[in-house]
Amino acid sequence: MLACVTMKTLHRAKCFQRLTIFGSVRALHKDNRRATPQNFSNYESVKQDFKLEIPEYFNFAKDVLDQWTNMEKAGKKPSNPAFWWINGKGEEVRWSFEELGSLSRKFANILSEACSLQRGDRVILILPRVPEWWLANVACLRTGTILIPGTTQLTQKDILYRLQSSKANCIITNDVLAPAVDAIAPKCENLHSKLIVSENSREGWGNLKEMMKCASDSHTCVKTKHNEIMAMFFTSGTSGYPKMTAHTHSSFGLGLSVNGRFWLDLTPSDVMWNTSDTGWAKSAWSSVFSPWIQGACVFAHHLPRFEPTSVLQVLICGNFKGMKIKPGSMGKPSPAFDVKIVDVNGNVLPPGQEGDIGIQVLPNRPFGLFAHYVDDPSKTASTLRGNFYITGDRGYMDEDGYFWFVARSDDIILSSGYRIGPFEVENALNEHPSVAESAVVSSPDPIRGEVVKAFIVLNPDYKSHDQEQLITEIQEHVKIYSTLQISQKGRIYSRAAKDYQWEDKKK
C-alpha cells in the first residue's frame, strides 16, 4: 500500500464515521468527486512539456508558503486550511497559511535566539505526528538551519549515532525520548540546545509550548541559494550503517513540484493525507512540500499505533491520472527524471533486458535528487556509473516504456555465474497452491558461491501431504515458471532452479 492518500472523497470513508468532525469533512469535500486530471491532459504531454526553471535564490517558506498567505489574504485562494490535525480523541488543530506563517516565525525566533542557532547549524527532529513537527520544518527553512528528521522508533544507540555523525547542534523531541537523549548527551560535544514538546518542564530542556507563548512572530526569512543544503536524511541502513543524504533548498522545494502537480494532481481545494512516519523522506515529500507547493491542505491523523481499518477505506492514489495501468508495473518515469535501464558499464539496455535502474545525472543533475552523501565522497562516487546515478534497484522496461521492478541490487543472488532475483523466485513460489508465504535468501555454497534457499509456510490443506513429494513438486513448478520468465523477460533462472533448497518454517 502506498503511503499517500488524497482525500477527495473522504466524506465516503467509513474510517471517519466515528469522528465528531465528520460534518466538516463532508462540507470541505462535497464537490470533489473528480475522476479526470486537473493539472494535465495526459502523461505524454507532461513528459514532453515539463521544464523546471531554478532561480539563483530560493527558500520554500518565503517563496511558496508566504505567497500562499498573500493569496489567502487577497481572497484568491479557496477557504481550505493549510494544515489540519486530529488525534482521534476529539482534539483538532486547523491553521490557515497566515497562521502557519505566524507560528513558524515564532518557532524560528526560538531557534535563532533562545537556542542561538546560526545558519547552517544542524537540528535533529524526532517527533510523532504532532503539529510542532510541521512548525519545526518551516522554522528551519526560515532560519537556514539544516533539518535532520528521525523516526520515533530510534533507540538510545541510534540517537547517539545520529547526533555524533551529523554533529547536530540542537535536538527537538518529546517526553518519551528525552531520557535517552540525556543519557548520551555528554558524548555529543556539538549538542548545546535541547527542546522538548511536552506539557511538563524538564531540567536542561527548553519547553517549546511555553516558549511559543511569549515568542515574537516578527522574523525575517534568510535568503538562501537554491543549492544550499536544506535537510539531511539518514538512510535505512540496509547495507552497513545508515548514511546521511543531503538535499538542497531546490531539490525538495522545487523538485517536488512534479509530485504535487502531476502525480498527486493537487489543487488548493484538496486535502492531502500522507500516512508515512515523520522520520522518513516520504513524509517531507507528501506531508510538506508536494501539497503546500499546490496550496493544498495537509491533513494529519495522530494515532498511537497504525490502524489499517482506518486507512484502507480511503481512495488511494499512486499513478499519473490518464495513464493506462499495468498491474505489477512501477509505471512510467516522473517527467522530472530521465530514467533508463543500464548495464554494468552504464550503457542503456533495450526493452526487455534486465539491468540496473539509473537516473541520468550528467550533464545536468535533476533537482529532485539528493545532492550527495554527507562526508562520504567515496560512497557518493560509488553511486555513479557513466552518466547515471544507480538507484540500487534492478528491473527492466517493456516496449511501452513501463518499468518493472525485479529486486534490490544488494539482494541479488549470484549462483554459478547467474544473477537470481529473490523477488521473482518468491513470485514463482506464491503461484503454487500449497504456498501461503515464502521468503527467498542466499545460502553459501563452496562450489557455486551461493545457492537460493526458500523458506515456505504451507497452506493448512497441504501440511498433511508427503513433504518430500511436495518439495519436488514445488521445485518443478518454479523451474517451469522460471522458463516462462525467460521467454517473456529475457532472464535466466531455470539453470539455478534445480539447486534450490527448500525448508518448511512450520516443521
Side-chain angles (χ1 to χ4, degrees):
M1 185 185 71
L2 295 176
C4 56
V5 178
T6 51
M7 297 166 54
K8 294 180 181 179
T9 56
L10 187 60
H11 56 280
R12 294 184 292 173
K14 296 179 182 177
C15 60
F16 277 85
Q17 291 176 350
R18 302 191 303 272
L19 299 179
T20 58
I21 58 172
F22 177 77
S24 63
V25 177
R26 182 185 298 276
L28 197 57
H29 296 279
K30 61 184 179 181
D31 61 345
N32 281 331
R33 300 188 181 186
R34 304 190 295 254
T36 56
Q38 300 300 296
N39 296 320
F40 59 97
S41 55
N42 57 58
Y43 171 82
E44 296 302 333
S45 68
V46 172
K47 184 70 174 175
Q48 181 176 348
D49 299 335
F50 180 79
K51 185 179 180 182
L52 192 62
E53 302 222 349
I54 307 296
E56 181 180 0
Y57 293 92
F58 177 79
N59 185 289
F60 187 80
K62 176 179 180 293
D63 297 319
V64 176
L65 298 180
D66 289 351
Q67 295 309 310
W68 281 116
T69 294
N70 294 336
M71 296 279 283
E72 203 172 62
K73 289 180 176 179
K76 297 180 179 179
K77 180 191 173 298
S79 58
N80 249 12
F83 178 75
W84 180 17
W85 177 90
I86 60 173
N87 66 358
K89 298 179 182 178
E91 295 178 303
E92 178 181 7
V93 170
R94 290 196 189 205
W95 295 330
S96 64
F97 277 101
E98 183 176 6
E99 291 168 321
L100 174 66
S102 175
L103 291 169
S104 64
R105 287 191 290 271
K106 284 174 174 277
F107 203 140
N109 281 324
I110 292 172
L111 295 181
S112 299
E113 297 171 7
C115 298
S116 302
L117 294 177
Q118 304 295 316
R119 180 175 179 165
D121 283 348
R122 300 174 180 184
V123 178
I124 286 186
L125 174 67
I126 311 176
L127 287 175
R129 297 179 189 90
V130 293
E132 288 82 0
W133 185 86
W134 279 265
L135 291 182
N137 274 257
V138 183
C140 285
L141 289 168
R142 293 191 182 281
T143 56
T145 49
I146 298 173
L147 182 71
I148 308 174
T151 173
T152 55
Q153 295 180 354
L154 294 176
T155 65
Q156 180 174 306
K157 181 180 177 181
D158 296 328
I159 296 172
L160 174 61
Y161 173 76
R162 282 157 176 76
L163 281 168
Q164 291 180 334
S165 299
S166 67
K167 300 180 177 63
N169 311 100
C170 174
I171 188 167
I172 306 169
T173 190
N174 59 8
D175 289 314
V176 177
L177 290 175
V181 175
D182 283 338
I184 50 90
K187 300 178 183 178
C188 306
E189 60 182 16
N190 294 286
L191 182 65
H192 61 72
S193 298
K194 297 181 293 184
L195 294 177
I196 191 169
V197 178
S198 173
E199 299 297 333
N200 305 308
S201 60
R202 185 178 181 88
E203 186 178 354
W205 293 72
N207 187 294
L208 188 62
K209 290 182 179 292
E210 293 300 319
M211 297 168 81
M212 287 287 288
K213 292 178 182 178
C214 55
S216 168
D217 66 354
S218 177
H219 181 273
T220 301
C221 184
V222 298
K223 187 176 182 181
T224 51
K225 288 197 170 185
H226 77 85
N227 57 357
E228 283 185 47
I229 300 301
M230 176 201 73
M232 296 178 184
F233 290 87
F234 278 88
T235 65
S236 55
T238 52
S239 57
Y241 284 103
K243 303 166 186 66
M244 287 185 292
T245 58
H247 278 276
T248 66
H249 281 270
S250 61
S251 65
F252 277 178
L254 290 173
L256 288 176
S257 61
V258 67
N259 294 47
R261 185 178 181 190
F262 300 130
W263 180 45
L264 301 175
D265 192 36
L266 295 171
T267 72
S269 298
D270 290 326
V271 178
M272 175 68 193
W273 180 19
N274 171 38
T275 62
S276 174
D277 185 278
T278 51
W280 305 117
K282 175 62 184 170
S283 198
W285 301 345
S286 298
S287 291
V288 178
F289 294 99
S290 294
W292 280 343
I293 285 170
Q294 292 298 105
C297 172
V298 169
F299 175 82
H301 190 183
H302 180 39
L303 296 167
R305 61 184 61 186
F306 182 73
E307 295 178 9
T309 55
S310 298
V311 176
L312 289 176
Q313 297 296 330
V314 185
L315 295 177
I316 292 174
C317 176
N319 288 274
F320 290 96
K321 294 181 181 179
M323 278 179 55
K324 174 185 175 182
I325 304 301
K326 291 190 176 185
S329 165
M330 296 167 64
K332 292 186 177 182
S334 162
F337 298 95
D338 186 6
V339 183
K340 305 292 184 185
I341 302 295
V342 299
D343 63 16
V344 293
N345 297 313
N347 300 313
V348 177
L349 293 172
Q353 286 197 27
E354 181 186 318
D356 292 302
I357 299 177
I359 300 173
Q360 185 162 341
V361 292
L362 293 175
N364 299 311
R365 189 180 182 89
F367 290 100
L369 191 62
F370 76 98
H372 55 262
Y373 286 101
V374 179
D375 300 327
D376 197 344
S378 61
K379 178 62 178 176
T380 301
S382 71
T383 63
L384 301 177
R385 188 183 302 165
N387 293 335
F388 292 90
Y389 165 79
I390 304 303
T391 63
D393 295 321
R394 287 184 64 82
Y396 68 97
M397 183 182 70
D398 64 21
E399 296 286 348
D400 298 323
Y402 285 74
F403 281 70
W404 299 78
F405 175 81
V406 172
R408 286 288 299 171
S409 298
D410 48 16
D411 290 338
I412 293 294
I413 301 168
L414 189 62
S415 181
S416 299
Y418 294 100
R419 299 174 68 87
I420 303 167
F423 179 76
E424 291 284 16
V425 181
E426 289 169 357
N427 278 348
L429 288 167
N430 295 338
E431 290 289 323
H432 194 277
S434 69
V435 178
E437 294 181 71
S438 67
V440 170
V441 298
S442 167
S443 181
D445 184 86
I447 298 175
R448 288 157 289 193
E450 296 175 285
V451 292
V452 176
K453 179 177 286 190
F455 294 87
I456 295 171
V457 177
L458 294 175
N459 282 314
D461 294 343
Y462 284 82
K463 291 189 177 182
S464 60
H465 285 217
D466 180 88
Q467 296 294 294
E468 293 302 320
Q469 181 181 345
L470 188 57
I471 287 172
T472 302
E473 181 183 327
I474 294 174
Q475 286 175 325
E476 291 301 318
H477 166 78
V478 174
K479 291 178 187 179
I480 294 172
Y481 185 95
S482 298
T483 302
L484 291 174
Q485 295 302 313
I486 293 172
S487 63
Q488 292 174 2
K489 305 175 183 177
R491 298 189 214 106
I492 299 176
Y493 293 126
S494 59
R495 282 286 299 276
K498 60 181 173 58
D499 298 325
Y500 292 167
Q501 300 179 22
W502 311 93
E503 295 184 11
D504 178 10
K505 292 200 304 187
K506 296 297 184 183
K507 278 187 179 179

